[in-house]
Amino acid sequence: MSSLCRLLRRTLSTATSATATDSTKAKSFCKEIYKERNLEQLVEKFKIASVDEDFRTKPSVYKEAVRRLAAARKFNYVEEILEDQKQYKDIYKEGFNAHLISLYGSAGMFDNARKVFDEMLERKCAQTVVSFNALLGACVNSKKFDEAEGLFKGLSKELEIEPDLVSYNTVLKAFCEMGSMDSAVTLLDEVEKKGLESDLITFNTLLHGFYAKGRFVDGERIWEQMKEKNVEPDVRSYNAKLLGLTLEKRMEDAVKVVEEMKSKGIQLDTFSYSTLIRGFVNDGDLKKAKHWYHEIGRSDCKRDKLTLEGLIPFALQKGDFMFAYGICKDVLCSKLLVQNALIQSVVDALAKESRIEAAKELVNLGDAHHTYSYKLNLPSI
């Protein structure tokens, strides 16, 4: 558990003093907020609920509310519910401030996050590596990658804060996102010189950075360093390698990596399957792309939109209209949404091939879709 999580739990926890009634009331507030569809009403309910001390110990409801408001680009509403928190006594505790900073960061509102951090001094609230890391994280989550290094070096020196491994990992992510891989390696060397032990997050960040940028050889070098440090790779590590191999069009090697994962008991996830499917699509191999599509169906993983939006036209291009039909049927029988035009193209192709019943079925399924109203039309032949 990170130092931020530990401090946040200590700061927010009132379990020893909260009564069963208080807990029930907080749960009721959470339930109301989770099910509220009207965002303006959500904000009002959130502010009312925040008066309850036990409610303020529920980080998950804060995270979900901010996520929904930010997704709707209602950043004024995000600001409204988070600024409202400053009236409570928790604001004099570092963990609560770090939580607000992180929430602003998750909404991409770095200026607001920085404001909360700076105000801590006015409240005589301690600024340690915990709130410093929250600010660094907010910077990276807000995609202010070019500002992360200056913040890391300048602010830590100004406040006499000793960065820890979380700090270094956050800046590593910024470098990798910018494609500044040489700077990332230099920072890794600094981690070693500081006597800090690189962890799985460190290596996974670098692996994805190198493999995704097409620097496969450098990625392999980082993989070897990870093995030397006795850090066991997880599904994210292998996914990064899969991505690197598919970008190199080394699909046989990619399949061998999957076999290695299975032999080590590492379950493939949606990213694993999607990477393989996209790799075989780019390699022009429909048979193997179909195989891995069906493998997703046999697993507990969900299909992802971007992969399907590449697979459907590929199936049409290869003349496998019934496979394209099957994919569309899977989509229309689920909550997954793809472009209307994509499914219409399959309806058109089926009709042209005189597969009228299959085309009609997709049109009917589109009309009956419970999440999105598809506008599909059966062409006149």
Side-chain angles (χ1 to χ4, degrees):
M1 187 185 293
S2 71
S3 53
L4 172 56
C5 288
R6 285 195 297 270
L7 185 56
L8 185 56
R9 283 179 182 271
R10 286 202 301 270
T11 301
L12 297 179
S13 179
T14 57
T16 55
S17 60
T19 65
T21 303
D22 291 334
S23 179
T24 302
K25 188 164 64 172
K27 285 179 182 177
S28 178
F29 281 137
C30 291
K31 189 176 178 181
E32 282 295 311
I33 288 164
Y34 280 127
K35 72 178 185 180
E36 181 58 65
R37 298 295 96 193
N38 182 296
L39 296 183
E40 189 173 353
Q41 286 297 313
L42 184 151
V43 170
E44 290 308 311
K45 287 181 179 181
F46 198 98
K47 288 161 66 178
I48 291 167
S50 296
V51 175
D52 182 73
E53 188 172 358
D54 197 43
F55 175 81
R56 299 197 303 275
T57 71
K58 312 293 183 188
S60 59
V61 72
Y62 278 73
K63 183 179 179 180
E64 177 61 14
V66 169
R67 184 197 67 77
R68 285 181 57 197
L69 295 172
R73 304 193 66 78
K74 297 291 185 181
F75 300 111
N76 57 320
Y77 285 170
V78 174
E79 186 171 33
E80 188 172 341
I81 64 170
L82 296 186
E83 291 301 304
D84 184 66
Q85 305 302 306
K86 293 179 180 179
Q87 65 181 297
Y88 303 111
K89 62 182 181 181
D90 306 303
I91 200 64
Y92 292 97
K93 299 172 183 177
E94 185 184 20
F96 194 76
N97 281 275
H99 188 208
L100 295 182
I101 290 166
S102 296
L103 288 167
Y104 269 130
S106 70
M109 301 170 69
F110 178 65
D111 290 343
N112 295 72
R114 182 63 196 258
K115 184 170 177 279
V116 173
F117 184 84
D118 291 341
E119 287 171 349
M120 290 174 68
L121 212 55
E122 299 168 17
R123 300 187 189 101
K124 296 182 171 55
C125 181
Q127 291 172 314
T128 71
V129 72
V130 173
S131 48
F132 173 70
N133 285 343
L135 186 64
L136 269 180
C139 182
V140 173
N141 288 334
S142 299
K143 302 191 185 304
K144 304 274 187 181
F145 306 125
D146 56 335
E147 296 181 27
E149 184 182 15
L151 200 64
F152 174 71
K153 291 181 176 177
L155 194 60
S156 61
K157 186 176 180 180
E158 179 188 331
L159 300 177
E160 298 181 342
I161 291 172
E162 186 67 30
D164 62 9
L165 185 60
V166 174
S167 319
Y168 280 98
N169 283 345
T170 305
V171 181
L172 271 177
K173 183 178 179 182
F175 283 142
C176 290
E177 290 286 351
M178 289 191 296
S180 302
M181 300 311 300
D182 292 337
S183 297
V185 171
T186 300
L187 194 65
L188 179 63
D189 293 338
E190 190 177 321
V191 169
E192 301 292 319
K193 288 174 186 174
K194 289 278 184 181
L196 297 171
E197 285 292 327
S198 300
D199 63 5
L200 187 58
I201 294 173
T202 312
F203 287 113
N204 280 349
T205 302
L206 287 165
L207 287 172
H208 188 271
F210 278 119
Y211 286 134
K213 298 292 185 300
R215 294 176 60 172
F216 190 84
V217 173
D218 291 313
E220 291 293 270
R221 182 171 51 80
I222 296 297
W223 190 280
E224 288 304 312
Q225 279 184 249
M226 182 169 67
K227 284 167 63 177
E228 288 168 12
K229 295 284 183 182
N230 295 316
V231 176
E232 285 296 318
D234 66 357
V235 67
R236 288 178 179 268
S237 319
Y238 279 103
N239 281 346
K241 180 173 277 200
L242 278 175
L243 178 60
L245 287 167
T246 57
L247 289 174
E248 298 263 313
K249 294 198 170 185
R250 291 168 55 181
M251 296 310 299
E252 286 186 18
D253 290 331
V255 172
K256 287 176 184 175
V257 167
V258 169
E259 290 167 358
E260 183 181 332
M261 291 170 71
K262 290 179 178 178
S263 71
K264 292 189 173 183
I266 297 174
Q267 295 281 339
L268 276 69
D269 62 13
T270 297
F271 187 94
S272 317
Y273 287 113
S274 298
T275 302
L276 284 167
I277 292 168
R278 285 196 297 268
F280 282 118
V281 167
N282 292 335
D283 210 34
D285 192 333
L286 178 62
K287 183 180 177 181
K288 288 179 180 172
K290 284 174 70 173
H291 168 78
W292 289 105
Y293 176 80
H294 294 310
E295 283 293 304
I296 297 182
R298 285 188 278 268
S299 74
D300 294 327
C301 297
K302 295 179 180 179
R303 299 174 173 94
D304 87 287
K305 175 183 173 179
L306 285 177
T307 302
L308 299 190
E309 289 187 340
L311 187 55
I312 291 171
F314 180 60
L316 291 179
Q317 178 194 332
K318 291 290 186 178
D320 196 334
F321 305 111
M322 294 312 290
F323 178 50
Y325 155 78
I327 299 171
C328 291
K329 191 173 176 181
D330 288 341
V331 168
L332 294 171
C333 291
S334 71
K335 292 182 180 179
L336 191 65
L337 303 179
V338 300
Q339 296 174 41
N340 191 91
L342 208 52
I343 298 182
Q344 183 64 56
S345 68
V346 177
V347 172
D348 294 344
L350 289 168
K352 188 177 179 180
E353 291 294 311
S354 300
R355 299 179 185 270
I356 304 301
E357 289 306 311
K360 280 182 180 177
E361 186 178 5
L362 293 185
V363 171
N364 292 335
L365 286 171
D367 290 340
H369 198 272
H370 53 278
T371 305
Y372 177 71
S373 180
Y374 284 96
K375 306 294 183 185
L376 303 172
N377 301 300
L378 192 65
S380 53
I381 303 300

